[in-house]
Amino acid sequence: MYETMGMAIIDRQTATLALAHALSAAERGLPVFPLSATKLPALRSPHHDEDPPVQCRGACGLPGHGVHDATTDPAAIRALFAAAPRATGYGIACGRAPHRLIGIDLDIDTTHGNDSVAALQHLALQHLFTIPATVTVLTPSGGRHLWLTGPSGVPVPNSASRLAPGIDVRGAGGYLVGPGSVTTHGRYRLAPGTAHLTPAPCPRALLRLLTPPPRPHRSSGRAAPARQGEGLVQFVRAAHEGQRNTRLFWAACRAYEHGFGDDLADALTDAALSTGLTEQEARAAIASAARLTAPRRTP
Ligand SMILES: [Zn+2]
């Protein structure tokens, strides 16, 4: 019934259920805050009309700071929801003690032939880790969120498609839509058979992939980028039809982010040609990767 409801109808029961789910997540040690049906923080910033804009992360003591509002204190959670009567769900802050939650967001994109579940399994084989049984949330669009926990002192950054196409990571400063939340696209729910689990520790090899590499040592010269670039070229060469463009674009983005995009452009183009893309298509994808990853220039 909720799956088909319009945005206009937000009944009391939905709000009450959202609060109940949020309280139960908090009981398990997960810091929560209210979300609207668009998955955005339900409370408006108390600084929304201040000029110039304020960079406040809640130090002012007022609610309305998004993920910075998240708390495990039941009285504070009730107060947040009381101030946000239109909340239909709740967010869970990632990266915070005690669990230091890491969300692996596996998108299902059938139109682009992206199979992020297969991509994660491929990474697991390649880097010799197993994906542990853990709490899994099914999203209304057919995707899934795997909940993992991180060790203390190792902040995991948020990233989009850095691990592989279609895999986003929610870490420090990010949040996950909690199970039981209702959005305009439908309800988030726990995957059958995972509700009784506790979030499993993130495998070490996966954690290494999720944390930024240490700054390269000056004496290491150009050896490391060349090796890394070779992996990207292989990744493009192994693409099936339907993944060719996304893989090429993804690989080119990584190469430009690491500062050797221009050096690798020809090798990436050759690899793309071997999968059946035309040179024009390949060059266009690489050029747009270069544009997207270029450091923002201030006018
Ligand atoms: Zn503030």
Side-chain angles (χ1 to χ4, degrees):
M1 143 192 178
Y2 290 105
E3 277 70 15
T4 53
M5 78 176 189
M7 251 189 95
I9 314 154
I10 292 158
D11 53 81
R12 255 189 103 76
Q13 201 189 4
T14 306
T16 310
L17 273 173
L19 171 60
H21 284 294
L23 287 170
S24 115
E27 220 165 81
R28 300 171 72 179
L30 300 165
V32 296
F33 65 104
L35 291 184
S36 73
T38 54
K39 304 191 282 184
L40 293 172
L43 280 166
R44 186 144 84 151
S45 165
H47 311 293
H48 68 95
D49 56 0
E50 286 172 32
D51 190 40
V54 193
Q55 295 293 318
C56 177
R57 294 180 158 192
C60 67
L62 296 169
H65 298 81
V67 72
H68 303 292
D69 288 349
T71 172
T72 54
D73 174 40
I77 295 166
R78 286 177 190 282
L80 287 172
F81 275 80
R86 295 177 65 82
T88 61
Y90 62 102
I92 299 173
C94 295
R96 285 185 32 185
H99 296 294
R100 287 173 290 270
L101 202 61
I102 301 165
I104 309 294
D105 181 352
L106 302 169
D107 256 350
I108 301 301
D109 180 357
T110 43
T111 46
H112 291 90
N114 255 352
D115 187 348
S116 55
V117 176
L120 182 61
Q121 277 158 357
H122 181 76
L123 277 174
L125 277 173
Q126 203 180 357
H127 295 274
L128 306 175
F129 63 87
T130 49
I131 302 152
T134 193
V135 181
T136 303
V137 175
L138 305 179
T139 76
S141 56
R144 53 185 57 206
H145 297 163
L146 306 186
W147 290 13
L148 299 172
T149 62
S152 65
V154 184
V156 169
N158 294 297
S159 64
S161 288
R162 194 168 76 115
L163 210 52
I167 304 182
D168 294 348
V169 175
R170 306 290 154 72
Y175 64 88
L176 286 162
V177 179
S181 294
V182 173
T183 69
T184 47
H185 296 293
R187 184 188 289 274
Y188 285 66
R189 55 186 93 226
L190 284 165
T194 72
H196 67 285
L197 299 172
T198 47
C202 183
R204 267 170 196 283
L206 177 57
L207 194 65
R208 274 196 295 273
L209 296 175
L210 297 178
T211 43
R215 285 171 178 275
H217 208 259
R218 231 177 246 175
S219 63
S220 70
R222 297 174 65 86
R227 248 201 347 265
Q228 208 165 3
E230 187 46 38
L232 294 174
V233 172
Q234 293 298 343
F235 179 72
V236 171
R237 196 170 283 138
H240 303 294
E241 197 180 342
Q243 311 173 311
R244 297 181 303 202
N245 244 313
T246 35
R247 282 205 176 203
L248 172 62
F249 176 70
W250 181 83
C253 285
R254 302 295 85 78
Y256 277 102
E257 277 173 9
H258 287 91
F260 54 91
D262 285 337
D263 294 339
L264 204 65
D266 287 340
L268 287 175
T269 305
D270 287 345
L273 292 178
S274 78
T275 68
L277 283 185
T278 68
E279 171 146 19
Q280 196 184 5
E281 288 168 329
R283 295 281 177 199
I286 293 169
S288 75
R291 260 197 319 277
L292 265 173
T293 53
R296 298 262 166 83
R297 277 176 267 271
T298 40

